[in-house]
Amino acid sequence: MAGKLKSVYICRECGYESPKWLGKCAGCGAWNTMEEDVVAPVKNGITSSSAVHSVTAKALSEISLTDEERIVTGIAELDRVLGGGIVKGSVILLSGDPGIGKSTILLQICNALQKESNILYVSGEESAMQIKMRAERLGVKNDSVSVMTETDIQSVCEYISAQKPDIVMIDSIQTMHHSEISSSPGSIVQVRESTNLLLRTGKSLGIPIFIVGHVNKGGDIAGPKVMEHIVDTVLYFEGERNQSYRILRGMKNRFGSTNEIGVFEMTDIGLREVENPSAMLLSGRMTDVSGGCITCVIEGTRPILAEVQGLVTTSGFGNARRTATGFDYNRLNLLLAVLEKRLGLYFSNLDTYVNIVGGMRLDEPAADLAVAMSLVSGLRDIPLDENLIAFGEVGLSGELRSVPRAQARINEAARLGFTKCILPKSCLKQITSCPDSLELIGVRSLGQAISIIK
Ligand code: TYD
Ligand code: MG
């Protein structure tokens, strides 16, 4: 018995479902984001046994392992984030702000892959001529790339099934539409169904598919959060528009680690891989100014040096301002509280700004010490030693806690010519070898570390 079709309303921002339309989403509080979706009802009652088909399960030990087949793109920064190349049949969502370089990197992948693969580039955003012009500028000379400007997802999938290209790129999912669904392109239902159709097509034929997805103002993938659940890999392209560095970050990966990053630089001939991100992030550093402190964080498998800048000024309005760019705002407040309570350094009537240079985001607690030291250096207006780096987690009692991979961090510091490293004393036992050029200063507390700033 086929029941009546039922409407549900889904929030475009967070995926919250409600049986009634709401002006304000009860899930995320956004206004005017609920969109109608029609669902076929599930049959009521107990299903008769004839309708249940038999299923089997296999013992884990009996499942044989074959290596997933991967296509290595040759763009090392991308291959690392993907976990060693593109897995056959995987669906990769590439997301990021407008103008960050998503279309550019797709064309560059086309170029890197040129020899063996047949690539289908489907664009709903640009005309074939615009794509050709960009490809010319990027030096893509590839006869095996075909460009299609089409927005009907069913036609695209039919073409894919008939032509069986080796790789498909969809730019972007928000421009695609499914003719059986009445809502406009970019709506949650359209995006979800289009993604599902692509996923089924890609999986059944073993064709990897890159899908470009736009982000909304909040930085989430626009429209459906649901899309993130459907695809195998979510890559996020980030960076400041007005700076040339771009960081490709894996947010989800069914075929590899998620905390890898790839670093690129946008040039006039497209994206260039940055093999030595530490050197790039430290270039242009001013050494005789207070408030700067270098730290070393582990991004995926790589240690990367980053510069923390702290600025402390007299507050003009009674209400002290705090801002953090590239560092967690609450963590900054916590560090300020520790400095105040444990070390008697008062910031309560001072404006405090923290910035991580180069558009980096430091989420690791190991960055705590450098942030605290840059704040103290800013407060006292005394520059830190330019050859000093610091890392370690700061606890609420003002103690310094051990962080993993200390050896990798000091190796990176030594490689870039630093001569002094302040680190938690408990990290010293992780160190098996230290270059002579680098002096290790193990400290137990934030107070001890600060005493080095005279
Ligand atoms: P694009 O790939 O179109 O961004 P998205 O697809 O994510 O919206 O990137 C466009 C920006 O990159 C644009 O502002 C110009 C810049 N750009 C360069 O600086 N150099 C280049 O070689 C290319 C192709 C783009
Ligand atoms: Mg684009």
Side-chain angles (χ1 to χ4, degrees):
M1 175 201 73
K4 244 178 74 193
L5 290 182
K6 211 176 81 185
S7 280
V8 295
Y9 294 85
I10 305 177
C11 172
R12 197 182 323 126
E13 303 287 326
C14 71
Y16 177 83
E17 268 184 44
S18 153
K20 280 196 301 189
W21 187 82
L22 301 170
K24 182 183 181 188
C25 170
C28 64
W31 286 93
N32 206 14
T33 55
M34 303 301 281
E35 285 179 7
E36 185 175 9
D37 188 8
V38 180
V39 288
V42 184
K43 274 185 210 150
N44 274 338
I46 299 158
T47 327
S48 66
S49 58
S50 63
V52 177
H53 60 279
S54 64
V55 290
T56 52
K58 228 178 186 181
L60 191 56
S61 54
E62 280 173 25
I63 300 171
S64 60
L65 261 192
T66 47
D67 265 353
E68 319 127 347
E69 235 180 294
R70 287 186 188 260
I71 305 169
V72 177
T73 63
I75 303 176
E77 295 292 304
L78 173 74
D79 287 333
R80 181 194 6 253
V81 178
L82 288 173
I86 308 167
V87 175
K88 290 257 168 89
S90 66
V91 177
I92 301 156
L93 174 63
L94 177 63
S95 153
D97 289 337
I100 203 81
K102 300 181 293 294
S103 308
T104 307
I105 199 168
L106 287 189
L107 273 178
Q108 289 191 265
I109 297 171
C110 294
N111 194 35
L113 284 170
Q114 47 190 314
K115 285 121 244 144
E116 42 315 314
S117 314
N118 250 320
I119 306 163
L120 174 65
Y121 186 98
V122 184
S123 178
E125 303 205 330
E126 289 162 308
S127 69
M129 207 167 79
Q130 281 173 310
I131 297 166
K132 173 75 183 172
M133 271 157 54
R134 186 196 300 246
E136 285 281 301
R137 186 142 48 90
L138 296 173
V140 181
K141 291 192 180 56
N142 195 344
D143 294 332
S144 52
V145 180
S146 356
V147 175
M148 181 197 274
T149 47
E150 175 60 64
T151 54
D152 184 88
I153 196 71
Q154 284 161 301
S155 314
V156 171
C157 287
E158 263 164 43
Y159 184 88
I160 296 173
S161 305
Q163 300 294 323
K164 301 192 180 54
D166 295 311
I167 295 185
V168 176
M169 295 167 176
I170 306 287
D171 190 4
S172 66
I173 196 71
Q174 274 85 6
T175 56
M176 297 293 147
H177 74 100
H178 195 293
S179 55
E180 283 164 26
I181 297 166
S182 57
S183 54
S184 56
S187 70
I188 184 163
V189 189
Q190 285 284 7
V191 168
R192 191 187 58 204
E193 290 313 310
S194 302
T195 312
N196 266 324
L197 191 58
L198 282 170
L199 187 91
R200 280 199 299 274
T201 313
K203 293 266 183 239
S204 63
L205 300 169
I207 301 173
I209 304 184
F210 280 92
I211 302 178
V212 169
H214 292 296
V215 294
N216 60 19
K217 274 183 268 147
D220 290 327
I221 292 161
K225 267 274 177 208
V226 282
M227 204 166 148
E228 291 182 41
H229 298 294
I230 304 173
V231 301
D232 297 305
T233 304
V234 179
L235 303 183
Y236 197 87
F237 218 178
E238 58 189 26
E240 299 291 325
R241 280 284 305 262
N242 46 8
Q243 286 179 349
S244 56
Y245 316 126
R246 301 284 185 267
I247 292 172
L248 188 65
R249 200 178 279 279
M251 311 273 274
K252 164 183 176 179
N253 194 350
R254 291 196 178 133
F255 307 107
S257 128
T258 48
N259 39 18
E260 287 292 356
I261 65 165
V263 185
F264 296 88
E265 187 184 359
M266 182 63 94
T267 67
D268 52 354
I269 49 158
L271 292 157
R272 190 180 64 80
E273 295 177 61
V274 176
E275 280 146 29
N276 191 349
S278 299
M280 175 202 82
L281 288 167
L282 299 188
S283 64
R285 172 162 80 107
M286 295 210 1
T287 47
D288 49 356
V289 182
S290 67
C293 185
I294 310 296
T295 189
C296 186
V297 289
I298 303 284
E299 290 282 359
T301 47
R302 267 193 306 189
I304 292 181
L305 299 189
E307 183 182 358
V308 180
Q309 292 183 319
L311 181 66
V312 181
T313 62
T314 316
S315 178
F317 306 101
N319 221 348
R321 280 169 63 94
R322 276 106 179 67
T323 67
T325 313
F327 189 73
D328 184 48
Y329 178 76
N330 293 321
R331 194 93 198 150
L332 167 64
N333 281 328
L334 183 147
L335 291 174
L336 288 170
V338 172
L339 286 170
E340 193 157 316
K341 185 80 183 169
R342 306 291 172 201
L343 300 172
L345 296 168
Y346 288 94
F347 289 85
S348 47
N349 51 3
L350 298 169
D351 288 345
T352 310
Y353 306 91
V354 167
N355 174 45
I356 313 299
V357 176
M360 283 286 288
R361 257 210 79 78
L362 306 187
D363 293 323
E364 229 198 337
D368 287 355
L369 179 60
V371 173
M373 290 188 56
S374 86
L375 290 172
V376 177
S377 156
L379 177 74
R380 297 185 178 158
D381 209 7
I382 301 172
L384 296 176
D385 183 344
E386 60 177 289
N387 292 312
L388 172 86
I389 88 151
F391 62 84
E393 178 179 352
V394 174
L396 289 186
S397 327
E399 82 279 21
L400 271 194
R401 297 180 161 264
S402 175
V403 293
R405 312 238 359 236
Q407 180 72 55
R409 293 178 210 259
I410 66 157
N411 288 351
E412 182 73 357
R415 191 174 72 81
L416 278 120
F418 285 84
T419 54
K420 268 187 207 164
C421 174
I422 305 185
L423 71 172
K425 194 152 201 157
S426 46
C427 277
L428 289 175
K429 59 179 181 291
Q430 292 179 33
I431 311 285
T432 48
S433 69
C434 176
D436 293 338
S437 59
L438 187 69
E439 180 194 353
L440 295 181
I441 309 166
V443 291
R444 283 186 203 287
S445 70
L446 186 53
Q448 273 181 7
I450 299 297
S451 64
I452 292 168
I453 313 172
K454 270 145 243 133

